[in-house]
Every structure is written in C-alpha cells, then in structure tokens.
C-alpha cells in the first residue's frame, strides 16, 4: 500500500552498469522506473509485445500518431500497428528523444572512426538474446534523457542531457511486454555529457506503485 509521501519499495531492482544492457518482462499494469543514477546519462529503451509476433515499439509511427517528436506524460509508445506497449506515467525530466537510432558498432566506425567499439544496439541485442529477439530487430529506441534538437537547417543535434542524479521516467505496461534498456555507450559526443555512468531499473509489480 502506498501512503501519501512515502516511496514504495520496488518489487525488483536491476542495476545496469555503464555501457551495457539488461532485459526484463513486464505484465500488463506493471510499472518500470528508469533511473538516471548519477545524472546526464541516456537510457535506450526498446519494447516488444511478449506474445504473438513480438511486435516492436515503433519510433516513426509513435511520432506520426503523436504528431510531434517528443514524448510526454500520458503518451504511449506505440507499435507500427498503433497499439500501445508502454505509457509514460511519471517523468521528472521531460527531455527525451524519439529521433535517433541506437548507437552501434557501424556508427562508431563510420561517423567517429572508432573501430571495434560496441554500442547500445549490440548491448540491447545481447540482453534480448534469451527472448529470441535478434540484432536486426533492435532499431528503434525510446531514448530516455537524450537531449536532441532539429535545427533551422534541419540538422539533428545531440546536446548534453539535462537529467540530474536520481531523475527518472516511469513506464506502465499496457500489455505483457519484453523491455530492454541500455546505459548508453556513447562517449564520443555530448550524448552522455562525456562520462558513461549506470542506469537503475525499478520494477513495481502486482499493482504496487512508486
Ligand atoms: Zn547509445
């Protein structure tokens, strides 16, 4: 039972070390709190329906159906069929990204000339391997705490996050889902303000709420 002003204890807590990913299953109604532990750290979040074809969260169709490029409290992360997977129910930051794909080995090589460095796409795929979800399906994150802009020249810019230690965004499962989250590995630009830190997942099951 949650009393006013008293934080409920999560059913489960998962610490994601810097530059790595973890996956978790949520039942409909469960809540996932994504915590920026030290501040200025982006968390890439991908989601899949737990049943059927494991339909994925779609950045592009979420943008189209929201008719904007940001995600706010009350908004749902949608599949390409327009079905909600997760809904944002609390948010202490209000700055997130649904424009960029996950950082990955190809981008590090092609854009930054860094060879052999794995990124969020590889780390999310590794976490999703037990669920039979492969690298080719990890394309479309909700980039929590990522601070991006589209300029007057239409270029996309990555700015340092505005999130501080302990900031969080809460996602409620709209159906049974598989969610993977990575502590973004990008240390080559402002994405994580130049320092890679960890992300904590707090999971509230069976109707408990933070
Ligand atoms: Zn990343």
């Amino acid at each position: 039972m949650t009393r006013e002003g008293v934080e409920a204890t999560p059913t489960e807590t998962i610490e994601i070390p810097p530059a790595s990913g973890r996956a978790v299953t949520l039942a409909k109604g469960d809540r996932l709190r994504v915590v920026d532990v030290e501040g200025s750290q982006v968390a890439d979040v991908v989601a899949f329906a737990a049943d059927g074809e494991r339909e994925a969260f779609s950045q592009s169709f979420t943008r189209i159906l929201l008719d904007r490029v940001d995600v706010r409290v009350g908004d749902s992360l949608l599949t390409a069929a327009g079905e909600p997977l997760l809904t944002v129910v609390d948010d202490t930051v209000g700055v997130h990204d649904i424009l960029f794909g996950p950082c990955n080995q190809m981008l590090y090589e092609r854009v930054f000339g860094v060879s052999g460095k794995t990124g969020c796409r590889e780390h999310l795929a590794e976490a999703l391997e037990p669920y039979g979800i492969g690298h080719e399906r990890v394309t479309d994150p909700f980039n929590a705490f990522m601070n991006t802009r589209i300029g007057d020249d239409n270029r996309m810019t990555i700015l340092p996050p505005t999130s501080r230690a302990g900031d969080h965004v809460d996602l409620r499962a709209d159906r049974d889902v598989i969610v993977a989250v990575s502590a973004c590995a990008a240390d080559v630009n402002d994405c994580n303000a130049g320092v890679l830190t960890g992300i904590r997942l707090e999971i509230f099951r069976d109707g408990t709420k933070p």
Side-chain angles (χ1 to χ4, degrees):
M1 182 74 72
T2 303
R3 283 173 295 151
E4 189 118 9
V6 176
E7 292 277 305
T9 305
T11 316
E12 187 181 341
T13 298
I14 299 171
E15 300 287 348
I16 305 178
S20 64
R22 296 287 184 273
V24 65
T25 56
L26 300 176
K28 182 180 179 179
D30 289 351
R31 288 176 178 233
L32 174 67
R33 173 167 284 187
V34 180
V35 183
D36 182 352
V37 179
E38 296 186 38
S40 298
Q41 175 62 49
V42 167
D44 289 34
V45 181
V46 292
F48 302 83
D51 58 356
E53 300 294 314
R54 299 204 157 153
E55 201 175 359
F57 161 61
S58 166
Q59 261 194 4
S60 56
F61 284 97
T62 299
R63 283 196 300 270
I64 293 166
L65 290 164
L66 288 176
D67 198 24
R68 47 182 158 80
V69 297
D70 66 338
V71 172
R72 306 168 189 172
V73 170
D75 291 341
S76 296
L77 306 184
L78 307 169
T79 68
E83 298 296 328
L85 293 175
L86 296 164
T87 295
V88 179
V89 291
D90 192 24
D91 182 6
T92 62
V93 182
V95 178
H96 312 287
D97 170 84
I98 50 169
L99 288 172
F100 278 78
C103 65
N104 62 75
Q105 198 162 350
M106 177 276 290
L107 288 175
Y108 285 123
E109 286 175 6
R110 190 176 296 189
V111 180
F112 301 100
V114 178
S115 61
K117 176 177 169 61
T118 56
C120 290
R121 191 173 185 193
E122 287 79 23
H123 304 155
L124 291 165
E126 194 178 346
L128 288 163
E129 197 176 5
Y131 302 96
I133 298 170
H135 181 266
E136 75 286 353
R137 297 199 66 200
V138 182
T139 59
D140 244 13
F142 163 60
N143 296 307
F145 316 126
M146 188 174 180
N147 186 7
T148 59
R149 292 284 182 281
I150 300 174
D152 292 338
D153 57 358
N154 285 335
R155 294 182 75 109
M156 300 192 299
T157 306
I158 300 173
L159 302 168
T162 62
S163 49
R164 298 181 177 193
D167 271 331
H168 62 260
V169 58
D170 290 5
L171 303 167
R172 186 196 63 219
D174 297 310
R175 57 189 293 177
D176 294 355
V177 290
I178 301 160
V179 180
V181 181
S182 66
C184 180
D187 54 2
V188 291
N189 55 16
D190 284 337
C191 187
N192 300 295
V195 181
L196 303 183
T197 55
I199 291 288
R200 184 170 67 247
L201 304 181
E202 298 177 354
I203 300 137
F204 296 83
R205 301 192 190 278
D206 304 318
T208 59
K209 292 176 185 175

